[in-house]
Amino acid sequence: SLSAGGRAALRQGRPYLASQLSREALGGEPQREDAALCLVASLTQLGRSREVEVLRDTYRRQTARGMRKPSKMLDQAFDDALEA
C-alpha cells in the first residue's frame, strides 16, 4: 500500500518520497492516521513546517466539525513537529 511505502521510504532516509506516497495515500483515504503521521514526519525532516501547520489546521477543523476522530498520536506528532 502507499502508506506502507511511505513509512518504508521514511525509514530509508527518503523523506521526499515518503511525503509523496503519504499524500497519495491520504488522497485515496483521507482518514488514514498512519499516512498522516508519515506525512507529518517526512515534512518535518524536509523542514517544511508551514505545510505541517496547514495540515494541523485542516485536521483541527475536521475534528471540530465531527468529520474526523481526534487522535492523540496525531496531535502529539503535530506538537513535536512544530516545536522543532
Side-chain angles (χ1 to χ4, degrees):
S1 83
L2 292 168
S3 185
R7 290 190 309 273
L10 201 55
R11 283 192 304 274
Q12 293 174 358
R14 300 180 68 190
Y16 184 75
L17 178 59
S19 70
Q20 290 178 312
L21 293 170
S22 297
R23 281 186 201 278
E24 281 203 39
L26 287 170
E29 296 180 64
Q31 303 295 321
R32 296 236 12 195
E33 182 178 340
D34 58 343
L37 289 167
C38 184
L39 182 56
V40 170
S42 61
L43 291 174
T44 301
Q45 287 184 19
L46 292 167
R48 297 166 111 169
S49 58
R50 180 66 188 127
E51 289 181 62
V52 174
E53 287 177 18
V54 171
L55 283 172
R56 181 198 58 196
D57 294 345
T58 300
Y59 162 76
R60 286 185 175 168
R61 276 194 305 276
Q62 289 173 340
T63 56
R65 293 178 183 157
M67 298 168 56
R68 181 182 190 127
K69 285 183 172 182
S71 162
K72 289 184 181 186
M73 287 179 59
L74 202 45
D75 286 331
Q76 187 63 53
F78 283 126
D79 290 345
D80 292 347
L82 296 172
E83 278 181 4

